[in-house]
Amino acid sequence: MRTDHWKSSTNVSLYDRVVERQRLARVMAWLLWGARLRSWYRELDDLGSMAASKSVLDVPCGGGVAFRGLRASVGPRYVAADLSSVMLDRARTEAARRGLTHIEFAQADVAHLPYPDETFDLCVSYNGLHCFPDPPSAVAEMARVLRAGGELIGTAIVLGAGRRQDAVIAKNRELGIFGRVGTGAEVRGWLGAAGFGDLRFRHSGAMLFFRATRNGSAGFH
C-alpha cells in the first residue's frame, strides 16, 4: 500500500469535498457501495450531545466531517487526528468556519497514537478502517487510549456485499487508496481481540456502521 497517498497527496481532498456535501455523498454512496447514509448524517448531527461531557478522539478526522454536530463549548477535550497534513489543513479551516476554537489537531499514525493509555472517553473513526494498512493494530491502539467503558463509534467499507462493491474495493486497493479491507465478520473479530465488547453492527450495502464498548481490562503492555 502506498501510504504516502494519504500523507501528502492533494487528491485525498476529493473524498472530503464529496462527504461534506450530504446530497452528493448520499448519491455516491448508493452508486458505489449500495449504502444509505441518511442515518449516518443524523449520527453526525447528534455527536455534539454525545461529546458534551466526554474527552473525544476523532481519528482519522479527515476534513472535519464530524465537526458538523459539535458545539462551541463541547466537552473537556476534542482531539482531531489524521495522518494526512492535507486533511488536517482542511479540518482546521472547517473548524474555524464553524467557530470551533477548542479542537486540538494532531498529525498522527493511528497504529502509534501519541497518547497514554486510557486517555479518552469516546473515539470516533469514520470511513477510515478500510484505508489502514493494518486495521487490527489500529483498533488495538484505539482500545488502548480509551478508558474502560469508553465507546468506539465508526464506519467502514467491508467485503462481501456484492461482486460490484468488491470490484470497487479491489480497484481502490490497487490504486493505494484502500489498505486491508475485511469482511464484517473480520471487523467483529478485530474489535473483540482488541478488548471491545457490546458490539453493535449495522450493514448498509458495503458500509458497516459499528459501535463497541471497551472492556474493563484489555491487557495493554
Side-chain angles (χ1 to χ4, degrees), residues 151-152 188 196-201 211-215:
E151 269 200 305
L152 170 64
R188 183 180 292 274
F196 286 103
D198 190 21
L199 306 181
R200 288 150 285 173
F201 280 15
R211 280 191 178 219
T213 302
R214 214 273 266 170
N215 294 327

Side-chain angles (χ1 to χ4, degrees), residues 3-219:
T3 54
D4 285 346
H5 180 97
W6 289 110
K7 287 181 180 177
S8 59
S9 174
T10 55
N11 292 330
V12 301
S13 63
L14 176 61
Y15 154 80
D16 193 45
R17 292 190 184 100
V18 171
V19 79
E20 285 174 353
R21 294 160 174 80
Q22 182 173 343
R23 186 172 297 178
L24 176 59
R26 286 168 60 185
V27 171
M28 293 299 293
W30 177 251
L31 291 175
L32 288 174
W33 312 119
R36 299 186 183 276
L37 295 187
R38 188 184 299 271
S39 63
W40 181 55
Y41 280 99
R42 285 199 299 266
E43 181 176 293
L44 291 176
D45 290 339
D46 290 341
L47 182 58
S49 59
M50 287 191 287
S53 60
K54 299 180 185 298
S55 181
V56 181
L57 174 65
D58 179 353
V59 60
C61 66
V65 66
F67 299 172
R68 60 186 289 133
L70 299 184
R71 302 161 187 166
S73 59
V74 68
R77 188 180 189 190
Y78 192 104
V79 176
D82 205 290
L83 183 67
S84 168
S85 59
V86 176
M87 287 298 197
L88 283 172
D89 286 344
R90 290 181 63 83
R92 289 187 183 96
T93 299
E94 179 66 5
R97 187 180 75 82
R98 293 182 177 274
L100 302 171
T101 59
H102 60 284
I103 295 176
E104 301 173 37
F105 295 93
Q107 187 168 10
D109 184 344
V110 71
H112 305 283
L113 292 170
Y115 304 105
D117 295 356
E118 303 190 34
T119 298
F120 299 97
D121 304 305
L122 173 65
C123 179
V124 294
S125 186
Y126 293 122
N127 299 328
L129 201 60
H130 52 272
C131 297
F132 300 150
D134 187 357
S137 293
V139 169
E141 270 292 90
M142 293 178 200
R144 182 185 66 78
V145 300
L146 274 174
R147 297 187 178 101
E151 269 200 305
L152 170 64
I153 302 173
T155 60
I157 300 300
V158 294
L159 290 164
R163 295 172 68 178
R164 178 174 61 84
Q165 290 92 337
D166 285 356
V168 176
I169 289 169
K171 186 61 177 179
N172 276 280
R173 294 200 66 200
E174 179 184 331
L175 293 172
I177 298 170
F178 284 5
R180 177 180 172 186
V181 182
T183 63
E186 286 177 305
V187 174
R188 183 180 292 274
W190 299 339
L191 290 168
F196 286 103
D198 190 21
L199 306 181
R200 288 150 285 173
F201 280 15
R202 181 173 64 83
H203 289 265
S204 183
M207 183 166 279
L208 175 68
F209 299 78
F210 59 87
R211 280 191 178 219
T213 302
R214 214 273 266 170
N215 294 327
S217 176

